[in-house]
Amino acid sequence: MATHSAGNRTPWDWIGVAAVVAVALAASLPGLRNAFVQDDVVLIVQNARVHDLAHWRQLLTSPYWPPPWSQDLYRPLTSLILAAEFVLGAGGPLLFRIVSYLLYAAAAVGVLVLARRLLPERVALGAALLFAAHPVHVEAVALAVAQNELLVGLLAVLMTARYLKRRRSDSGAVGTGDWAVLGTMYVAACLAKEHGLVLPMLLLSAEVFLVPGPAGPRVQRLAPGYGFLTALGILLLLARRLVLSGDLAGSFTAEALQGVTLGGRTLGMLAMVPNWARLLTWPAHLSSDYSPQEIVASTQLGLPEAIGLGVLLGAVVAVWLGRRRAPMVSFGLVWVAVALLPVSNVLIPTGIVLAERTLFLPSIGLVLAAGGLAAAAPAWGRRAMAVACGVLVAAGGLRSAERHGVWRNEETLSVRSAEDAPRSYRMQKAYGYALFESGRRERAIEAYQRAVALAPANQVWRVRNDLARRYWEEGKDQEALDQLRQSMIAAPDQEETWNYLILAYLALGAYAEAARQADTALARGASVQVFGGLRTLADSAARAGAPPGSIRIRVVTGSGPQAPPEQ
């Protein structure tokens, strides 16, 4: 197989790099003026820890999500990078967008560099262009907090390219300095996002499929280096466990996975395979959410699971058959499998069943496998695939550019997301919020009612609490109280609901009932500081004969009730 020589640079080298960068930027630049949305709001706009680099020690030793949110995950490098961008960009989204686009272009060039070591020049360029135009990448590029996906992808291709450069050289030696560089990149990837832990498996896959020679001597020569990477991985896991107070998984469990056994999660993974395959190969339909009822837990081997099993078996056969005749196909498919392992939810259930941003790393393997298939095809097949590649790059670039517009702001995203995932209760709730904000009250209430109907039983209270907050903002305290009462019936032990319920009684002047509810909450072990304070406030209002409506405490979404300076 003729591959690109890295020794002598030619004009074609730089033309190829420029083409890949141009496609990546053209696919992304329509989102340049996008506002902060979704997780960016909580993790950047509302997260005081990233507003000042003086907090860098805290960022290194704290969970990723700030209080009052669940203290999940450990991504200190991502937090530091976000803090630097916030300070340098004066808190605005523009610098975050620029950095994301540059990281994306760099990752696409990294794919080109890696592919050039393994494939003919024109085939390598086609694979990199396909990657740069791929619409499934939009979510990872549009969200500032998803820069960790871009970082891990970039580091993965750089690590693999450096490793193969050494292993495919005349000496085939990976020196101590090389392992030190690989270890540094590995640590950076893991501190950016958890799935960086699988990167040594990608190097091992490259060794198995792309480096010739008997296995015994190779194992002996490479064991110390892989042992070094393994030790780094263990140390990182221990640090993660320490920061997350002994919780190695460090993440809440998605609704569709709660209470599901290992066997059920395996069935769920099989059901995900067709979705992964579609999004990686034909992402015509995209969505920012795949929550219930869009995706439900698998309970038996039905049609989706059978299709997924068939796809998996087909991939295994392709890896086996291609290991000698088309090793790049085998390597690319194994890359996809390794990259999907952390989000498969088989070994450890996570907070995500399916998210498009998590497909950034697997998509690298897909384009490498496609390049391997093209390189192994006869001349007429390569010509046909070149034409198809040009069409797909153009179509993918246009689709990506259009999709970035969906992430313009919260209202635009919620409207499109409700259309893309009509059975997602989260998207219906977000749509309802956007409708309230734009003054379309009746349609907003209808959207919230759909969200209530679609929400899992253990999440209904969240939807009703959110609707209660919307009523509260309108001054419709009785409507808010009605929602909160129903929320208490659905989930009677949620302190958040009790907070809001007591506040509603205070606003309506029902001070005795507010005091009674505070006493009940305290008797059940609720926060003495919060509910004791509310109990005292109810008593004071009753003694003073405060008229209904004179006590209104502002409710801040996601952070509980907060009293204004004057009541």
Side-chain angles (χ1 to χ4, degrees), residues 356-432:
E356 289 165 9
R357 60 186 176 273
T358 64
L359 299 182
F360 188 80
L361 184 61
S363 69
I364 297 173
L366 180 77
V367 298
L368 293 176
L373 185 63
W380 64 267
R382 283 199 296 272
R383 287 192 294 270
M385 293 180 75
V387 173
C389 178
V391 172
L392 289 174
V393 169
L398 290 172
R399 176 71 171 119
S400 295
E402 183 274 333
R403 185 67 185 171
H404 270 281
V406 173
W407 295 82
R408 179 74 61 198
N409 51 48
E410 287 283 8
E411 181 177 0
T412 303
L413 179 62
S414 63
V415 172
R416 278 294 297 271
S417 297
E419 296 172 356
D420 294 334
R423 293 174 305 206
S424 167
Y425 82 93
R426 281 195 290 258
M427 292 303 99
Q428 291 296 337
K429 179 164 72 83
Y431 185 37

Side-chain angles (χ1 to χ4, degrees), residues 66-226:
W69 302 89
S70 178
Q71 298 292 275
D72 289 331
L73 307 176
Y74 179 56
R75 300 170 181 173
L77 181 58
T78 298
S79 297
L80 285 172
I81 291 172
L82 295 178
E85 291 174 50
F86 188 93
V87 172
L88 294 175
L94 180 60
L95 182 61
F96 290 91
R97 300 285 166 261
I98 294 172
V99 172
S100 291
Y101 300 164
L102 292 177
L103 282 172
Y104 184 41
V109 172
V111 171
L112 177 62
V113 171
L114 176 58
R116 279 174 166 173
R117 298 200 182 282
L118 308 166
L119 299 168
E121 173 63 30
R122 294 181 185 274
V123 175
L125 179 58
L129 290 173
L130 281 173
F131 179 84
H134 206 308
V136 84
H137 298 158
V138 171
E139 183 172 294
V141 181
L143 277 171
V145 295
Q147 288 177 2
N148 48 28
E149 303 283 356
L150 308 179
L151 277 169
V152 174
L154 174 60
L155 290 167
V157 292
L158 293 179
M159 285 179 67
T160 309
R162 184 181 184 96
Y163 181 83
L164 285 173
K165 179 180 180 180
R166 295 293 185 262
R167 292 295 291 133
R168 291 161 68 95
S169 66
D170 293 337
S171 68
V174 183
T176 302
D178 295 314
W179 286 114
V181 172
L182 292 173
T184 301
M185 290 192 284
Y186 179 45
V187 170
C190 293
L191 295 180
K193 194 177 179 187
E194 300 75 16
H195 68 294
L197 286 164
V198 305
L199 297 193
M201 296 174 65
L202 300 180
L203 302 185
L204 189 58
S205 301
E207 179 69 33
V208 170
F209 292 103
L210 303 176
V211 179
R218 284 195 285 165
V219 170
Q220 191 173 20
R221 292 176 63 185
L222 298 171
Y226 278 100

Side-chain angles (χ1 to χ4, degrees), residues 41 55-56 64 110 186-187 213 216 257 265 282 289 291 306 317 381 412 518 526:
V41 176
H55 299 143
W56 66 270
Y64 184 55
Y186 179 45
V187 170
L257 300 172
R265 295 199 302 272
W282 194 254
D289 189 69
S291 70
V317 171
T412 303

Side-chain angles (χ1 to χ4, degrees), residues 69 429-430 432-433 436-437 441 448 459-477 479-484 487 495-501 503-504 552-562:
W69 302 89
K429 179 164 72 83
Y433 176 82
F436 261 121
E437 290 291 294
R441 186 175 186 276
Y448 272 103
Q459 298 296 317
V460 169
W461 68 275
R462 294 185 185 275
V463 182
R464 291 197 181 280
N465 284 10
D466 200 66
L467 178 55
R469 286 192 289 263
R470 305 288 82 78
Y471 282 135
W472 199 296
E473 292 166 0
E474 292 185 318
K476 297 186 179 296
D477 299 327
E479 286 87 343
L481 180 62
D482 292 341
Q483 290 297 322
L484 292 167
S487 181
E495 286 195 19
E496 177 188 299
T497 308
W498 242 319
N499 261 305
Y500 298 156
L501 187 67
L503 296 180
R552 294 191 60 80
I553 299 178
R554 182 168 60 94
V555 175
V556 180
T557 302
S559 58
Q562 293 184 358

